[in-house]
Structure formats: structure tokens, C-alpha cells
Amino acid sequence: MNRFLAAASLLALCVISAPPLAADAAPPAANGAPETGMWDLRDLYPTPEAWSAAYTRVRGQAQALDQYKGTLGKSPHAMLKALSAISDVQKEATRLAVYASLKADEDVRTAVNQERQQSAQQLGTLMQEKTAWLRPEIIGIGQKRVLVFEAKSPELKRRFAFQLDNALRYAPHVLSLQSEGVIAAAGDVFAQPNSIYSQLANGELPRPEVTLSDGTKVKLDQAAYTKYRTAANRADRKKVFDTFWPSFSAFNGTFGQTLTTQVQEEVFDAKVRHFPNSLADATFADNMPEAVYRQLVAQANRSLPTLHRYLRLRKKALGITDDLRYYDVYVPIFDLPNPPKFSVADSEKIALDVDQIYGPEYLSLLKQGFAGTWMNVYPHPGKANGAYMNGSAYDVHPYLLFNNHDDYESLSTFVHEWGHAVHTLLTTKTQPYENAGYSTFIAETASIGNEMLLNDYMVAHAKNDAEKEYYLGQGLELIRGTFFRQTMFAEFQLQLHEVIEKGGTLSGEKMTGMYCDLLKKYYGDAQGAMKVDPAYCIEWAYIPHFYYGFYVYQYATSMAGAAQFADAIEHEGAPARDRFIAMLKAGGSDYPYTLYKKAGLDMASPAPYEALAARMNRIMDQIEAIEAKKGKSQ
Ligand SMILES: [Zn+2]
């Protein structure tokens, strides 16, 4: 999908990893109506046959789109006609893709579902082929003439001004037709590092077995590692680490070469497209200043004493008398013998309470969503993993997939994804289709913000100090995992690219050394906050996101933005809330950095990152106050 069209079709698809599926079956309903806890895809297409008929029709329309090639510069009317035609087909193709994708996720084992999804992907490729001329043609027309056209056609301006501006930005980075053809033809080759990585890390990597203290034998694949690294028994989690990481270390060289190739490819793209460096290339699509990325890294480094404070607190709470170790990071800092349970009805009620702060318009959309059949809630055999919101079907409504386990993590995921859903509803009621595709930066601020507000709410409503500490601990982990960990990844990625850009070389061994230095810095090895064992410094080889370009930093910046918004809404009330809602309503009508700015946040300044560090310190103040009270009463 080219970037000019990508925004609308990628409208906030957010995936959160979740534990594997439990095995309670959801039987199909006899009359085609959905079961309780099941979404109703008939709002998209009444039957699979109706989908097929629409597919044939839209495919024909897509085939005909190159009839508009060379017409855009003729007149404002001709430009509007061509862009509208493309947009209309794109909208319908996206709706087809949404249905195919959701249907496939109901049961990933069904061949007909897989084939439908393949068809939708082919339609996407066809759209790409049939509109590949579009951006070069707009660039050829030039900004001056485009602005004249917009002045003459209010409709053109209303629907397409942002997309036109976004296409024109690419002028210095688009190559000759011949060069673009060569790069496009090499696309499959460029996708190989990720494929090779995935083949090895998710497929062929030998999975060692470990015997836990209670005699349980576990084959340590990625899912088992995620589960057992949280073991309450310290010897068990050490054993899990000591067994899991050597399996990666054995392929240190291969992982290193694969990731080096990925980095080289990104450096190559930046060079041939006339970007000063690969970071500038990566942040260009969102028109995000490089300064935001660099400020994020600088500010996370400045806040490391806050992270170290958390690690010391963790050590004390876990009763560890020697050094805290990297395998002590995932065990819950405060656990409860019977952690609270939340049904979906509970989650809805809590979400409505938590989101009071956003005012009546937000709440009425949330209620509208809960009243609809938009959710696929419970795990069942064959269902896709994780959780997401898909709001790409502009004329319909968002759909949400969960694998609800009724625990706090599920509740947190619930408010996260509904944050995306309400964002989509606010956007679609305000923006034309063409401006509905919002960026991840804004999207994750809306959703992570909900998770932070939920955490505040649960702390405030806890029944006793033990429960309060349980939630405060969860709040701290959310910040460590989303802010510090992702920023450490971001810093690592930046370092890798800079090595290649300066003409240096990389290897698995070198990467492990670089990663070790970062782990020690972030986790305070020299400050005595944690002792980092070099055996675990192969962790970089476990992170698939390094093959998605500069990607992970968006979550960290979004969380910082959400922290500043939460403070502003708490202190200022309605004016700050209205700025936040206006930002959500703006959808994809402007660049995310500008939208933040209009809402009062400068993501290139220290303020958002300071707000997040302050929040983390406030959580720790609360824990220490409870601990001090405990100390006195003993
Ligand atoms: Zn999300």
C-alpha cells in the first residue's frame, strides 16, 4: 500500500500480545445471529456471498483506476474527480479487507477464511499497482498549481488538502521512474531479513526443556518463556532465564548478520532517497521531527534515577537480600493470593467510570459501543491471539477482538482498545473518509492514557492497602515496560544505524556488547540497582520489532504524551479535556506533531517525559507511604 493511501486503510489496528488461548468453545449460532460475546459481521456484509459479490465489483472498479492517470492537472474538477474515484474504491476495498481479516481471526484454521484474506490482500496489491502513478503525478503538478486548484474547489480542499500536501512533501525523495521501478522490483529481497529472522526465531530455533522446582517439565518456547519468567519461585525464574537465553546465544552470529542486513537496507533506503540519515527517513512518513526521537532518548536517560528507584523498591518488596537480577524483573512486585476478577460487564462499568473525565460526548460514544455487537470477547479454539481494535470500515463502526481472561490485565486491555474505538468514532463523525486515518502517535496516547487513568482509578477504589499496592505495582510495570524498555530498544536501534552510517561494521557479538552496555545503563548496574548478567545480553535477538524500522519509540512517546494530558486534564479540567477531544476528532487531518502542538503538547520538549517520570515517582511515594505505615504498625 503506498503511503498516500495507506493512512485510511490502516486506521488504528492495534495489537497487544496476550497469553495463548484457553479452550472454551463458542458454538456457531443456528440463525446466523451472533452468540453472546461475539461480534456481528453482518454490519459489514450480510453474508459471505455478499462479500464475494462486492469483491468482484470492487475489483473491476480498481482495474479501471488507471483511466485517471494523467488527468489530475487538467482542472480542479478533474483532480477532484480522479481523487474521489480512487478514494471511493479504496474505502470499499478497505471494508472488504476488514471483513476478510475479522472473519479469518474468528478461526485461523479455516481454509476458506485464509483464501478470502488472500483475495483481499491481492485487491490491496492491485490498488497499489493501479495508483502507483498518483504521487509522482501530484508532485509533477507541483504545489503552486495544487494550491490554485484547492482555492477554486472547496470540496477538493476539504477532502484532499492534507493528502495532497502529504504527497507533495515527498518531492525531494522520489526518484526517477526507472529508479523507482528498480527499487520496487527489489521489494521481495528487502523483505528477507524479517522472513529469515522469523523463520529462525519462531520456527527452527531449538526449544530447550526446563524442570521447575515442583517437578513440572516445560518446553521453553516464546509463550512458555513469557509465562514462566514471572515465576514466584526465584530459583525457577533464574532457571528459565539460564535455559532460554543460551538457545538464542547459540545463533548469535546468524541473528547478528540478519539484523545487520535489515539495518543496511534501511541505511541504503535513506541514502538513495536523499535523507540525511535513516532516522530522518523513518520519521518522514509521519512528518515527525527527528528531535522527538532524540528528545525521548535523552529524557529517558535523564529519568534513569527514577527507574533505579523502582528497582530498589522492587528488590525490597520481593525480599531479595543479595543483588536484584534481570530475571527478577517480571515477577509481580505485589501479588495477591486471590487477584480480583472482572467480567466484561464489570469492565464496561469501570470503563464508563474511568472515562467520566472525558465528558458527555466521549461517554455517549462509549455507551453506544457497548450497546452494539462490536466485540469478539472470549478465547475459543482457532481464534486469533491477542487483542485489537479495527476501525478501518469507515461507514460501519469499530470492531474489537479480545481474549478475555477476566483478570486485571484483561481489564486494562479492554479500556486500551475501547480508547481506540472511541477515538475512531470521534474521528469518523468529524472527518471525511480521506482524513480519518490517524497516526499511531495520537492513537496510542488515547489508549495508553486510558490504561493510566484506569490504574489511578483502581488505586483510588482499592478495598485495602494490599490491593492498593497490587495496582500501584501494575502501574509501575506499565511505565517500565512501555516507556523505559521501549526507549532502550529505540536507543539500541539508533546506535546500530549510526554504526553503519559512519562506515562501521556490526556482528552478533558486537550487538550483544552494545546491548549489554544499554542494559547496564538503564537498569543501574553501576548504581547498584541491579546486577546485569552478560548471559542475558542476547535479548536483542528476541525482539521482532527491530525488523519493522524505527517503530517501538511511538509507544514511549505516546505514553509520555498521555501522562502530560492526564495531568493537564486533572489540573485544568474542561479546557484541557476539550483540547484532548479536539485532537482525537482531528483524526488524520494533520501531522501528529502538529496535532499534539495544537493540543498544547510539544513532543520535542522535555515536558511530556518529565510528566511521566513525575507520575512514576508519585506512584512510588504512595507505595512507600503504605510500607512506612506497615512498618509502624508492626
Ligand atoms: Zn493500542
Side-chain angles (χ1 to χ4, degrees), residues 14-16 416-417 420 443-444 447-448 555:
C14 171
V15 181
I16 284 190
H416 179 109
E417 301 304 338
H420 288 313
E444 290 302 316
S447 56
I448 297 173
Y555 292 96

Short mmCIF file of all heavy atoms in Angstrom, two decimals, residues 14-16 416-417 420 443-444 447-448 555, ligand 1:
data_model
loop_
_atom_site.label_atom_id
_atom_site.label_comp_id
_atom_site.label_asym_id
_atom_site.label_seq_id
_atom_site.Cartn_x
_atom_site.Cartn_y
_atom_site.Cartn_z
N CYS A 14 -4.59 -2.01 16.30
CA CYS A 14 -3.63 -2.09 17.38
C CYS A 14 -3.60 -3.47 17.96
O CYS A 14 -4.62 -4.03 18.29
CB CYS A 14 -4.01 -1.09 18.45
SG CYS A 14 -3.04 -1.31 19.91
N VAL A 15 -2.44 -4.04 18.04
CA VAL A 15 -2.33 -5.41 18.52
C VAL A 15 -1.55 -5.45 19.83
O VAL A 15 -0.50 -4.88 19.94
CB VAL A 15 -1.63 -6.29 17.47
CG1 VAL A 15 -1.53 -7.71 17.96
CG2 VAL A 15 -2.39 -6.23 16.15
N ILE A 16 -2.11 -6.11 20.78
CA ILE A 16 -1.43 -6.30 22.05
C ILE A 16 -1.23 -7.80 22.22
O ILE A 16 -2.13 -8.57 21.95
CB ILE A 16 -2.31 -5.75 23.19
CG1 ILE A 16 -2.22 -4.25 23.18
CG2 ILE A 16 -1.91 -6.32 24.52
CD1 ILE A 16 -2.85 -3.63 24.39
N HIS A 416 -7.92 -0.03 27.00
CA HIS A 416 -6.97 0.38 25.96
C HIS A 416 -7.65 0.35 24.58
O HIS A 416 -7.68 1.35 23.86
CB HIS A 416 -5.75 -0.55 25.98
CG HIS A 416 -4.72 -0.24 24.94
ND1 HIS A 416 -3.49 0.30 25.25
CD2 HIS A 416 -4.70 -0.40 23.59
CE1 HIS A 416 -2.78 0.48 24.16
NE2 HIS A 416 -3.50 0.04 23.13
N GLU A 417 -8.22 -0.81 24.25
CA GLU A 417 -8.81 -0.97 22.92
C GLU A 417 -10.06 -0.10 22.74
O GLU A 417 -10.30 0.43 21.66
CB GLU A 417 -9.12 -2.44 22.63
CG GLU A 417 -7.91 -3.36 22.69
CD GLU A 417 -6.77 -2.95 21.76
OE1 GLU A 417 -7.02 -2.22 20.78
OE2 GLU A 417 -5.62 -3.35 22.03
N HIS A 420 -9.15 3.25 21.65
CA HIS A 420 -9.01 3.33 20.19
C HIS A 420 -10.37 3.45 19.52
O HIS A 420 -10.53 4.19 18.55
CB HIS A 420 -8.31 2.08 19.66
CG HIS A 420 -6.85 2.00 19.98
ND1 HIS A 420 -6.00 3.07 19.80
CD2 HIS A 420 -6.07 0.99 20.44
CE1 HIS A 420 -4.77 2.71 20.15
NE2 HIS A 420 -4.79 1.46 20.55
N ALA A 443 -3.05 7.75 18.32
CA ALA A 443 -3.86 6.59 18.72
C ALA A 443 -3.42 6.04 20.07
O ALA A 443 -4.24 5.81 20.96
CB ALA A 443 -3.76 5.51 17.66
N GLU A 444 -2.13 5.86 20.23
CA GLU A 444 -1.66 5.23 21.46
C GLU A 444 -1.74 6.18 22.66
O GLU A 444 -1.77 5.73 23.80
CB GLU A 444 -0.25 4.67 21.27
CG GLU A 444 -0.20 3.47 20.34
CD GLU A 444 -1.07 2.31 20.81
OE1 GLU A 444 -1.07 1.98 21.99
OE2 GLU A 444 -1.79 1.74 19.95
N SER A 447 -5.18 5.46 23.92
CA SER A 447 -5.40 4.14 24.53
C SER A 447 -4.54 3.93 25.78
O SER A 447 -5.04 3.45 26.80
CB SER A 447 -5.10 3.05 23.50
OG SER A 447 -3.78 3.20 23.00
N ILE A 448 -3.28 4.32 25.71
CA ILE A 448 -2.42 4.16 26.90
C ILE A 448 -2.90 5.12 27.99
O ILE A 448 -2.84 4.80 29.17
CB ILE A 448 -0.93 4.39 26.53
CG1 ILE A 448 -0.46 3.33 25.53
CG2 ILE A 448 -0.05 4.34 27.78
CD1 ILE A 448 0.94 3.56 24.97
N TYR A 555 5.41 4.06 21.06
CA TYR A 555 4.68 3.71 22.28
C TYR A 555 5.18 4.53 23.47
O TYR A 555 4.41 4.97 24.32
CB TYR A 555 4.80 2.21 22.56
CG TYR A 555 4.05 1.41 21.54
CD1 TYR A 555 4.70 0.87 20.43
CD2 TYR A 555 2.68 1.26 21.64
CE1 TYR A 555 3.99 0.17 19.46
CE2 TYR A 555 1.97 0.57 20.69
CZ TYR A 555 2.62 0.02 19.59
OH TYR A 555 1.92 -0.65 18.63
ZN ZN B 1 -3.10 0.36 21.08
#
